[in-house]
Amino acid sequence: MVQINNDARELAIKVVYYGPALSGKTTNLQALYQKFSPEVRGRLMTLDTKDDRTLFFDMMPVFFKTEAGVKVKLRLFTVPGQVIHESTRRIVLQGTDAVIFVADSRRSEAAATLAYWNNMLKNLEANGLDYRTLPLVIQLNKRDLPDARSEEELGDLRKVIRPPMVPAVAVRGEGVAETLWALLSLTYRSLDRTMRLGERWKITEREFLARVFDHVDLKGTRLQGEAPPK
Amino acid sequence: MSPAPSFLQQKLPLADLLDLKAFSEVCQSFAELYRVGLKVFDESGNKLVDVKVGNADFCGYIWTKAAGREQCVATVGRVKSEPVDELARPVAFQCFSGCRYVVQPVLHEGDSIGRVVFGPFVPDDLKELPATLTGIAPDFDATQAGAYLQKIRRVPQETAEKILKHFMDLVDVLVFTGHKSVIAARLHIEAVQESYRELEEKNRLLEESYQKLKALDRLKSNFIATMSHELRTPLTSVIGYSEMMLEGLGGTLSDEQREYLGIIMEKGESLLHLITSILDVSKIEAGRVRLVLGDVDVAQLLRDAAATVLPAARKKRVQVTCEPGTLPRLHADREKLRQCLINLASNAVKFTGTGGSVTIGAELLPGEKLALRISDTGIGIAPEHLTRIFDVFYQVDGSTTREYGGSGLGLAVVKSFVEAHGGEVKVTSTPGRGSTFGLLLPIRQRPEPALTPSLPLHPVAPA
Ligand SMILES: Nc1nc2c(ncn2[C@@H]2O[C@H](COP(=O)(O)OP(=O)(O)O)[C@@H](O)[C@H]2O)c(=O)[nH]1
Ligand SMILES: Nc1ncnc2c1ncn2[C@@H]1O[C@H](COP(=O)(O)OP(=O)(O)O)[C@@H](O)[C@H]1O
Ligand SMILES: [Mg+2]
């Protein structure tokens, strides 16, 4: 649930990277941390207490101010993939505004991925979220590995799965910005629908994306040149 | 409409992000190192840290003048809360006294959550005390003030800004680590609460099904009690009329008719016995057993029990010995004791093969107690079954039901009846050699009505 502070003219948006253990969620945040310039992002916080395995997640804040003086804060979270972290997962998922499902695109991981997908649907529902209206992007990570699904297979998948799918090699930073772009674009549209972001807060989708991606190193990404000028 | 925002989304005040005591110490040593005062405010203007270095005399002197006090308060107010850009860079504030401050907001996740005020210091471009200071009072002693000013560090503004920046880097790390530990702690609490909620929910469900089971169990006991009673009435008629016919009340019978009637009676009686046991058990389960106490001649009861099982024993050529001797009279429920003894004696005969023997006896024990014993030389009971045989419907070997008959209720009834008397049942047994069941009974019953102990809760079906 996007947090709105009308007096302070502030929006706080929560984005969660969900997916099986080791699918590359942390790697996504680390890559983004490298690509973002420090004026728009805070430190990457990694909570990884070895002795107490219930506490386990990453968080990175991204923030900007719009032309109209609205402060927008995006908090990017990863949730723990391990089964034992079920309760942390639910806490982190609470009140989320958008989800990136990071899947390991290797064939050998298909079963685990499907299990997590279902687990996510269950947890979203437990948190009163509807996955059909929630901004959701699937990242098919680890495209560099030999066992990864072929392009044709992905094409077939695209026909049956509604959420956009973005291929990535997170370790090399490939597809990471593209995934976030796709998600933020959906998020903007969803927020514009529910709370008239354009009309009431005077933020256009173009500005929303530009405020973030103008500060992202887009070298070598498919977004290069796509980022609209401010 | 929306649920309370998770703590992960909450904005935290600076004081919650810092360990104030440790932070004050850091500020103290930092300020002393650079010999410049240092103040830290949160976003609402609350002072969290205040370290004064060198300016006490100078400012103290200004405070002795009314106009000085007034302007000092105004300056401090500006330094503390005049808005500054939310940017990570210092802003200079000029004091009317000629001193200067550099101020920088504490930024966290793009928000300003407080500010650090570094100063006052004397900018190195200050040549002499400004008119704004010397003019505050006619009797202002510039020489004195100038001397006090010497105690405040003189430093170029640029240097002060560099020092402040250095300090801000430190604050940034402290705030980040503070935030991290706050989140870890809160998350931990939430995780524990979450597990607690889950457990509570499970407990509730368990309790619910337990209550349902209990209700069902009561229903079952009541049902059985009523049914057994209803079954007994016609059955007694069947037995009674068979008996009358056998006695010739319905006319002369052929030998064949006599034999058949004998079988009807015998089977009728064993059915009646079974129904009675079930009724007893259901009464015990429903907690409705009442003892009818009276003086009981135990020796006679023992002889009766022996006599009852004698025909069956003769049939399988098992020897029954009963030597009770002289025994004190017992204050007890005669019918129930009789039933106990018959149950034990018929078990003894039932589980003893041809050529074996059953011994029924009694012994006075110290402490006003009487032990009634029934021993046999039968098949015995393996140790792992010893505690279970008193459970309702438990039989050591399910298949023995075929061979020995029985319902698995006898011992359960014995145990409850004996315990209702404040006594206990003991059993010792060696498989293949035989068993001894002992009833330990107090000779005098306590006056208060004995409560029926309930049967073991989970009856076990024969394995
Ligand atoms: N080959 C390959 N390995 C990756 C890729 N993305 C992540 N990994 C590796 O997968 C492992 C788990 O990644 P991590 O981000 O910690 O997974 P998380 O549990 O989802 O946070 C690490 O060893 C990463 O280096 C990728 O695109 N290709
Ligand atoms: N004297 C005995 N010798 C060997 N086994 C016995 C003896 N008395 C009882 N048992 C065992 O305990 C079980 C339970 O006894 P009881 O409750 O009287 O039920 P039942 O005799 O109707 O089977 C019997 O089935 C039998 O396995
Ligand atoms: Mg991780």
Side-chain angles (χ1 to χ4, degrees):
Chain A
M1 193 66 54
V2 61
Q3 251 181 299
I4 312 155
N5 184 336
N6 276 314
D7 300 334
R9 297 186 51 74
E10 263 183 33
L11 291 179
I13 299 166
K14 185 169 181 178
V15 175
V16 170
Y17 283 75
Y18 204 98
L22 302 181
S23 64
K25 302 176 292 292
T26 305
T27 311
N28 259 272
L29 282 204
Q30 283 165 346
L32 288 174
Y33 182 79
Q34 295 301 327
K35 289 173 183 288
F36 271 97
S37 82
E39 318 132 65
V40 291
R41 59 123 174 94
R43 284 169 204 266
L44 173 58
M45 181 187 291
T46 293
L47 225 58
D48 179 1
T49 29
K50 297 281 185 299
D51 45 333
D52 184 347
R53 309 265 285 136
T54 52
L55 308 179
F56 202 94
F57 73 91
D58 312 290
M59 193 263 282
M60 184 173 83
V62 174
F63 36 81
F64 59 85
K65 210 169 187 164
T66 66
E67 195 66 52
V70 179
K71 212 186 243 179
V72 180
K73 225 180 277 176
L74 299 165
R75 283 199 183 81
L76 312 184
F77 287 93
T78 70
V79 296
Q82 288 84 345
V83 184
I84 54 160
H85 301 306
E86 183 72 19
S87 63
T88 323
R89 189 150 56 219
R90 227 171 306 161
I91 293 166
V92 174
L93 208 53
Q94 216 174 73
T96 192
D97 297 296
V99 171
I100 290 172
F101 185 86
V102 181
D104 188 324
S105 47
R106 280 177 294 176
R107 284 189 196 86
S108 54
E109 296 300 310
T113 305
L114 186 64
Y116 266 85
W117 175 261
N118 288 327
N119 169 279
M120 176 180 78
L121 298 188
K122 194 186 83 196
N123 277 332
L124 286 176
E125 196 184 304
N127 273 300
L129 297 164
D130 184 350
Y131 87 100
R132 282 161 305 187
T133 53
L134 190 75
L136 182 59
V137 170
I138 299 174
Q139 179 181 80
L140 295 157
N141 191 28
K142 307 201 183 178
R143 302 289 304 139
D144 57 323
L145 294 178
D147 186 30
R149 284 169 193 283
S150 66
E151 278 304 328
E152 297 95 84
E153 279 176 278
L154 292 190
D156 290 344
L157 262 180
R158 276 198 181 88
K159 283 177 212 144
V160 292
I161 291 179
R162 187 192 53 90
M165 289 195 280
V166 183
V169 184
V171 266
R172 299 204 295 251
E174 295 170 24
V176 164
E178 289 88 334
T179 309
L180 187 64
W181 173 286
L183 184 83
L184 290 186
S185 161
L186 285 180
T187 306
Y188 174 88
R189 288 172 205 186
S190 150
L191 294 179
D192 190 38
R193 254 195 323 277
T194 53
M195 47 180 297
R196 294 178 298 142
L197 225 49
E199 205 178 311
R200 258 190 64 204
W201 298 79
K202 304 278 173 277
I203 314 171
T204 61
E205 179 177 350
R206 172 178 274 266
E207 185 187 3
F208 188 79
L209 292 170
R211 290 285 173 198
V212 175
F213 290 94
D214 278 358
H215 299 279
V216 178
D217 176 9
L218 295 178
K219 255 198 326 284
T221 71
R222 294 187 288 282
L223 300 172
Q224 204 170 11
E226 195 174 330
K230 247 192 279 186
Chain B
M1 180 189 107
S2 56
S6 147
F7 66 93
L8 292 174
Q9 289 283 76
Q10 275 164 16
K11 232 189 240 183
L12 293 164
L14 186 54
D16 286 7
L17 295 173
L18 293 170
D19 176 344
L20 276 187
K21 195 172 164 293
F23 182 60
S24 300
E25 281 163 19
V26 170
C27 293
Q28 184 83 39
S29 61
F30 196 91
E32 273 163 15
L33 178 65
Y34 290 102
R35 288 188 293 108
V36 176
L38 189 64
K39 291 183 184 53
V40 180
F41 297 93
D42 70 11
E43 196 54 15
S44 322
N46 302 307
K47 199 188 308 181
L48 304 182
V49 175
D50 186 0
V51 188
K52 294 193 175 69
V53 181
N55 65 325
D57 288 342
F58 181 69
C59 296
Y61 178 67
I62 295 173
W63 262 71
T64 60
K65 315 291 174 204
R69 264 201 303 280
E70 199 178 294
Q71 292 200 50
C72 178
V73 169
T75 307
V76 169
R78 275 199 307 130
V79 167
K80 174 171 118 178
S81 36
E82 194 172 279
V84 293
D85 284 344
E86 290 186 0
L87 293 172
R89 59 157 193 252
V91 180
F93 279 86
Q94 183 65 41
C95 176
F96 69 97
S97 69
C99 291
R100 203 169 289 170
Y101 295 89
V102 276
V103 173
Q104 187 169 325
V106 179
L107 299 177
H108 179 58
E109 301 192 343
D111 289 320
S112 169
I113 56 170
R115 64 172 65 182
V116 175
V117 175
F118 190 61
F121 60 90
V122 180
D124 65 346
D125 47 22
L126 184 75
K127 297 291 176 271
E128 53 189 23
L129 293 177
T132 42
L133 176 64
T134 51
I136 57 170
D139 60 347
F140 188 84
D141 183 345
T143 327
Q144 181 68 69
Y148 287 147
L149 191 67
Q150 295 302 314
K151 297 188 187 172
I152 304 177
R153 182 166 179 201
R154 180 175 283 268
V155 62
Q157 178 177 330
E158 203 183 316
T159 310
E161 284 176 358
K162 261 192 205 142
I163 298 171
L164 179 59
K165 186 191 165 303
H166 180 50
F167 184 70
M168 293 314 291
D169 288 344
L170 190 68
V171 172
D172 193 46
V173 173
L174 290 176
V175 164
F176 175 73
T177 24
H179 190 206
K180 189 167 161 171
S181 47
V182 167
I183 284 197
R186 295 264 191 103
L187 194 68
H188 187 81
I189 293 169
E190 294 247 340
V192 169
Q193 279 173 346
E194 179 81 15
S195 322
Y196 179 74
R197 265 195 297 277
E198 278 166 21
L199 270 181
E200 288 257 277
E201 177 64 13
K202 281 196 185 122
N203 265 345
R204 203 181 52 72
L205 291 177
L206 265 180
E207 174 67 18
E208 256 177 41
S209 42
Y210 175 67
Q211 292 301 345
K212 264 187 214 146
L213 267 181
K214 251 173 58 180
L216 271 179
D217 198 52
R218 258 198 310 278
L219 214 64
K220 180 209 72 182
S221 294
N222 284 334
F223 172 75
I224 290 178
T226 326
M227 279 312 288
S228 316
H229 187 75
E230 296 296 317
L231 286 172
R232 240 149 59 120
T233 319
L235 195 54
T236 22
S237 299
V238 171
I239 294 169
Y241 280 93
S242 311
E243 209 167 5
M244 275 153 64
M245 281 176 80
L246 268 177
E247 280 167 13
L249 290 177
T252 335
L253 300 173
S254 71
D255 281 353
E256 229 173 16
Q257 286 171 328
R258 193 172 282 282
E259 194 197 327
Y260 292 169
L261 268 180
I263 294 172
I264 292 177
M265 253 188 71
E266 191 194 319
K267 295 297 171 197
E269 245 150 23
S270 68
L271 186 55
L272 186 62
H273 182 73
L274 174 63
I275 292 171
T276 310
S277 306
I278 292 178
L279 187 59
D280 288 338
V281 166
S282 61
K283 270 189 189 155
I284 293 166
E285 284 184 335
R288 287 199 308 233
V289 172
R290 285 265 152 70
L291 294 184
V292 183
L293 296 177
D295 264 0
V296 180
D297 179 351
V298 190
Q300 188 54 47
L301 274 189
L302 291 173
R303 278 191 291 270
D304 283 356
T308 311
V309 298
L310 206 56
R314 281 219 181 105
K315 226 184 260 175
K316 18 184 341 197
R317 271 179 281 129
V318 168
Q319 200 191 334
V320 178
T321 330
C322 176
E323 284 153 357
T326 40
L327 294 171
R329 294 177 80 79
L330 207 60
H331 193 60
D333 183 319
R334 175 200 304 275
E335 254 323 294
K336 300 218 161 57
L337 271 194
R338 205 176 75 88
Q339 209 181 319
C340 288
L341 291 172
I342 289 175
N343 283 353
L344 292 180
S346 47
N347 272 352
V349 171
K350 189 160 63 174
F351 295 107
T352 303
T354 301
S357 64
V358 171
T359 311
I360 301 175
E363 187 191 350
L364 205 59
L365 294 181
E368 292 270 277
K369 275 190 183 157
L370 193 60
L372 312 181
R373 288 210 186 86
I374 291 153
S375 312
D376 63 58
T377 59
I379 59 170
I381 304 160
E384 66 267 28
H385 296 293
L386 277 183
T387 49
R388 312 280 307 273
I389 53 173
F390 294 100
D391 290 351
V392 181
F393 297 121
Y394 189 81
Q395 294 180 312
V396 168
D397 184 354
S399 66
T400 61
T401 331
R402 287 280 122 76
E403 197 181 338
Y404 300 107
S407 59
L409 293 172
L411 289 180
V413 171
V414 170
K415 185 171 191 290
S416 323
F417 282 3
V418 169
E419 286 176 356
H421 279 88
E424 55 183 320
V425 187
K426 296 251 155 142
V427 53
T428 54
S429 184
T430 313
R433 317 268 316 248
S435 322
T436 299
F437 284 81
L439 309 184
L440 267 76
L441 292 161
I443 290 172
R444 296 241 58 93
Q445 279 295 307
R446 275 176 197 68
E448 72 264 23
L451 274 176
T452 314
S454 54
L455 286 179
L457 241 175
H458 304 289
V460 178

